[in-house]
């Protein structure tokens, strides 16, 4: 009887915790649809390591469209058509990794990266990935694509201690993100996967070649309407 009583109490507490988590996360995501996230776990972790926090929020409407197009070209060509997860890209990434591609590919969409940047932390295993999937579903349900891209481009790390395309533009090119050219936006997008190891100003090697490819793809994104959900 004591064991059954303990099991029932444990079950009740588990259900209560799940209900609180679901309600709390929905309210949190709903709030960030309208309010810029003031700080993230990534920012705090880097600040503790002495890297500081440099950010300057800019609305997507103010930002040069080259930046969103560069992000789509580099990170998520199907951003406007998927509902948070690009299963074809995930399958392709797994195939490339299985075949021994030197650059490990994750297949994460911009929506998934936004969920991770806004609500979670950078490292972690299956538990973090499960939470990321949950928050990805929520932002796709509660935010328009325009807002997902806006939050992504304002939270993504664009350099050591630097967050967002606008702060990145000021750091590398000494003007704000409203004036980003295709080449400049492409260089910032090329930095995003490894912001602590790559520089957008005077890039060399892979970063330069990758930035050049992204710059060429920006025209394709515009021509084929891959950014149509942002207009």
């Amino acid at each position: 009887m004591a064991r059954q009583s303990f099991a029932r109490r444990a079950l009740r507490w588990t259900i209560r915790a799940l209900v609180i988590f679901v309600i709390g996360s929905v309210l949190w995501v709903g709030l960030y649809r309208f309010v810029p996230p003031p700080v993230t776990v990534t920012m705090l972790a880097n600040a503790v390591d002495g890297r500081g926090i440099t950010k300057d929020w800019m609305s997507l409407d103010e930002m040069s469209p080259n930046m969103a197009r560069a992000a789509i070209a580099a990170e998520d060509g199907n951003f406007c058509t998927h509902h948070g997860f690009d299963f074809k890209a995930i399958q392709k990434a797994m195939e490339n990794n299985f075949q021994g591609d030197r650059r490990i590919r994750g297949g994460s969409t911009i929506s998934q990266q936004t969920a991770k940047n806004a609500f979670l932390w950078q490292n972690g295993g299956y538990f973090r990935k499960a939470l990321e999937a949950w928050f990805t579903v929520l932002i796709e349900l509660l935010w328009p694509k325009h807002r997902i891209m806006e939050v992504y481009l304002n939270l993504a790390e664009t350099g050591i201690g630097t967050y967002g395309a606008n702060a990145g533009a000021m750091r590398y090119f000494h003007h704000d993100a409203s004036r980003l050219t295709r080449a400049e936006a492409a260089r910032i997008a090329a930095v995003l996967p490894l912001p602590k190891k790559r520089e957008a100003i005077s890039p060399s090697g892979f970063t330069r070649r990758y930035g050049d490819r992204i710059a060429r793809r920006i025209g394709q994104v515009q021509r084929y309407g891959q950014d149509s959900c942002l207009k």
Side-chain angles (χ1 to χ4, degrees), residues 9-10 19 42 56 67 72 84 115 122 152 154 157 185 199 216:
R9 288 199 302 271
V19 170
T42 301
D56 188 6
M67 191 64 247
I72 291 172
Q122 295 301 311
Y152 174 70
N154 276 284
E157 194 172 4
E199 288 282 330
R216 291 193 294 270

Side-chain angles (χ1 to χ4, degrees), residues 1-230:
M1 293 296 293
R3 289 183 178 178
Q4 290 180 352
S5 178
F6 174 78
R8 284 197 295 269
R9 288 199 302 271
L11 179 61
R12 284 198 299 269
W13 280 107
T14 300
I15 293 174
R16 288 175 184 173
L18 285 173
V19 170
I20 291 171
F21 170 74
V22 169
I23 294 175
S25 58
V26 169
L27 291 175
W28 193 8
V29 173
L31 177 67
Y32 279 2
R33 173 172 178 169
F34 305 102
V35 177
V39 71
T40 67
V41 175
T42 301
M43 293 177 189
L44 293 174
N46 285 335
V48 169
D49 290 339
R51 298 189 179 105
I53 300 174
T54 301
K55 59 188 180 73
D56 188 6
W57 185 278
M58 174 178 280
S59 72
L60 191 63
D61 292 332
E62 293 180 277
M63 205 176 291
S64 167
N66 287 321
M67 191 64 247
R69 289 167 185 158
I72 291 172
E75 300 288 315
D76 189 357
N78 296 318
F79 174 70
C80 282
T81 56
H82 65 62
H83 298 289
F85 306 94
D86 188 339
F87 296 104
K88 289 183 179 179
I90 293 172
Q91 181 181 2
K92 184 177 180 181
M94 293 175 63
E95 291 173 353
N96 287 332
N97 296 336
F98 181 76
Q99 292 170 5
D101 194 310
R102 289 184 301 172
R103 296 186 303 279
I104 300 299
R105 302 170 190 268
S108 291
T109 63
I110 285 174
S111 299
Q112 289 174 269
Q113 294 178 57
T114 303
K116 176 184 64 178
N117 290 341
F119 303 102
L120 302 169
W121 57 96
Q122 295 301 311
N123 299 317
Y126 293 112
F127 178 66
R128 209 273 345 254
K129 293 296 291 184
L131 289 176
E132 178 185 300
W134 167 248
F135 280 104
T136 299
V137 170
L138 287 184
I139 65 173
E140 282 282 344
L141 286 173
L142 300 178
W143 298 359
K145 288 285 190 177
H146 185 281
R147 180 61 174 175
I148 294 173
M149 180 63 76
E150 183 172 67
V151 173
Y152 174 70
L153 290 179
N154 276 284
L155 295 187
E157 194 172 4
T158 50
I160 297 175
T162 304
Y163 302 91
N166 193 37
M170 294 296 296
R171 171 177 178 153
Y172 297 118
F173 309 117
H174 309 294
H175 60 73
D176 69 30
S178 69
R179 297 167 51 199
L180 284 170
T181 66
R182 283 189 182 184
E184 291 170 343
R187 288 185 179 183
I188 291 177
V191 166
L192 293 177
L194 292 170
K196 293 182 176 65
K197 296 183 179 180
R198 298 177 182 174
E199 288 282 330
I201 190 71
S202 301
S204 60
F206 172 77
T207 305
R208 178 180 56 78
R209 295 192 299 273
Y210 185 37
D212 290 344
R213 287 202 301 272
I214 294 171
R216 291 193 294 270
R217 292 175 188 165
I218 288 175
Q220 297 176 2
V221 170
Q222 182 178 11
R223 188 178 312 114
Y224 296 114
Q226 289 175 277
D227 62 337
S228 59
C229 61
L230 304 178

